[in-house]
Amino acid sequence: MPTKNALDDNPLVSHSRRLPLHNLLPTRKSYSPSPQRSISDLESLSNFNKDEKPELIHRWHHQYSILSTVTFPSLGLLFCGTQDHQILIFDMETYERKDALTGHTGSVLCLTKSKDEKHLFSGGSDSLVKVWDVTTMKETHTIYSLVDIGDIFSLAWSSSLNTIFFGAQNASILFVHLLDSIPKDDPSSLPSQRFDKFFDSTGPTGSSSQKKVDKLQTRLIEIPSSNIIPYAHNGFVYTMEIHENMLLTGGGDGYVKIWDLFKGVQLIKTLDNDESVLSLTRNESFLYCGLTDGQLKIWDLSTYQQIRSLQSDGGDILALAASNSCIYKGSSDGVIKWKFGGDCKEEWEAHQGLVLSTEIAYKDGKVLLITGGNDASVAIWDISEDNAPLRRTSVAAIDNDSLLTTLGEMVSFKTVSKKPELYIDDSRRCAAFLTSIFKKFGADSEIIPVENGNPVVYGCLKGKDYKTKNTRVLLYGHY
């Protein structure tokens, strides 16, 4: 695999999100009984603590809706995509507006970043993906397709592959390997420059206006037809995320699709959520899917099982963020917080309108929640009180103190086999914890799914002498 960062060698420098259209699509509603229905009933979100909101650290205001956000904690910067084609830059320490990146000719619907926080990626309703060098705050690449793909709703960057993936309005998934791409010099193929049969047809005078082509100040990259997956979903591709060597995508058809990136973007699994998937986020081995009508479904990626279905009275879940202790859902009713392994569910009016973006950031020992809305504001909330430090997995040491520490961590998980739905989150986390311990000690380990119950954790330690047939010892226990 290439290790060179394709973004570091560029010598060039340069200077109304339409709200989600899922309501225009037919939804998929299933009326068949499901084993998750009882779990949903147990976790009904009807009893809220209203307006017990966390501390508001700061709120910035703009003239147009804030559609997308991404934080760069090491730089202390917050980037916000807006309805008026800009990417606003805010300082998270001084709370000043530092600058604004311009280049899109449509609403900036999605943002993501490289892991090293050197580059920013943006996608918009102008059918373009732009790459920005954060050290210079200049645009370096503009990525476009010869196919009319419509709005770009979602982005995901793979650092190991030097590849940007994005989902579009025409139900396709597209990707570009920046290291292998050959830049173009002719801007005539950009979506804004192509001939439109309706808008560019000759009028009563028999003439049409000439389109002005601006001087190039960025590298143009045309997406090869081989890098377009048409009809990847039967609906808009609203959301996506990278997990290890997989790409997770959610669409208006109600499916989350899992693609293996090391096999040429090959579909390996499909998770049916019944309703349009508008947002998704991941924490540990759990995948959280925000659906229409306030429904949230939780999947265990280690077994591909749906383990919870939560229903709230709020509107469509347009944004999701998950910390180690809580899920935060953005909708028309504000932010709804649900705490893992407990009944603590709270709601507060984070914005005077739709919450279109949520993100968790860790800075200076604090856990922060960033929210953006169609009230033209973006806010930072201190949610440190709700989020205890992450449970750390012990190293593979066999001294007495280390083994006791590992045992103490294991027994701290609330694993109850009689009614697994009550503590299903902790049970799954304990299974993942045990798997990681097995692997640290050199064992082959996997999680074996069990229908309507806790999974079985399998671990096999092999002897040093593979040629001699030794006695196999089976150890069995409950976790």
Side-chain angles (χ1 to χ4, degrees), residues 5 7 31 96 122 145 162 180 192 236 241 252 264 274 287 291 322 338 354 368 396 416 451:
N5 192 331
L7 301 174
Y31 297 99
E96 295 178 341
S122 59
S145 170
N162 276 300
D180 302 328
S192 60
F236 302 162
E241 185 166 324
D274 297 330
L287 177 67
L291 314 178
W338 177 71
L354 300 175
L368 307 175
V416 180
E451 186 175 357

Side-chain angles (χ1 to χ4, degrees), residues 202-271:
T202 57
T205 61
S207 62
S208 60
S209 59
Q210 296 293 323
K211 293 185 177 181
K212 181 181 178 181
V213 180
D214 296 328
K215 184 180 178 181
L216 274 178
Q217 294 187 347
T218 180
R219 287 179 171 180
L220 297 180
I221 296 179
E222 182 181 298
I223 303 170
S225 58
S226 59
N227 290 6
I228 301 176
I229 305 174
Y231 305 108
H233 285 266
N234 188 24
F236 302 162
V237 185
Y238 286 116
T239 179
M240 61 173 53
E241 185 166 324
I242 297 286
H243 172 52
E244 296 176 348
N245 63 332
M246 298 180 294
L247 175 69
L248 314 175
T249 62
D253 54 0
Y255 292 112
V256 168
K257 295 191 175 183
I258 303 176
W259 311 80
D260 191 323
L261 300 183
F262 291 158
K263 295 182 179 180
V265 196
Q266 178 179 330
L267 181 63
I268 58 175
K269 197 71 178 180
T270 299
L271 309 178

Side-chain angles (χ1 to χ4, degrees), residues 36 39 286 300 302-303 305-308 413-432 434-435 446-458 476-479:
Q36 282 77 30
I39 297 175
F286 297 118
D300 186 345
S302 61
T303 61
Q305 289 179 303
Q306 182 184 323
I307 60 174
R308 283 192 188 274
F413 292 97
K414 298 177 181 178
T415 56
V416 180
S417 59
K418 185 176 181 180
K419 293 184 177 181
E421 68 273 8
L422 294 179
Y423 297 100
I424 195 166
D425 302 281
D426 260 16
S427 296
R428 298 282 171 152
R429 283 187 171 84
C430 185
L434 289 173
T435 302
E446 62 178 304
I447 297 178
I448 303 173
V450 174
E451 186 175 357
N452 297 325
N454 291 326
V456 173
V457 179
Y458 166 80
Y476 172 77
H478 291 279
Y479 66 89

Side-chain angles (χ1 to χ4, degrees), residues 128-157:
L128 299 177
V129 170
K130 291 184 177 289
V131 185
W132 309 83
D133 186 335
V134 176
T135 58
T136 62
M137 297 299 177
K138 301 296 183 181
E139 179 185 345
T140 62
H141 301 72
T142 294
I143 303 171
Y144 68 95
S145 170
L146 292 178
V147 179
D148 291 328
I149 60 175
D151 297 352
I152 296 173
F153 289 120
S154 52
L155 286 169
W157 167 253

Side-chain angles (χ1 to χ4, degrees), residues 4 21 51 54 79 207-208 345 348 426 454 467:
K4 180 183 177 182
L21 302 177
D51 296 326
F79 293 82
S207 62
S208 60
K345 307 172 188 69
W348 75 90
D426 260 16
N454 291 326
K467 298 180 180 179

Side-chain angles (χ1 to χ4, degrees), residues 72 83 118 149 209 231 295 299 319 345 356 377 429 461:
F72 286 60
Q83 186 180 5
K118 291 183 178 180
I149 60 175
S209 59
Y231 305 108
Q295 190 174 180
W299 297 82
K345 307 172 188 69
L356 300 175
S377 76
R429 283 187 171 84
L461 284 163

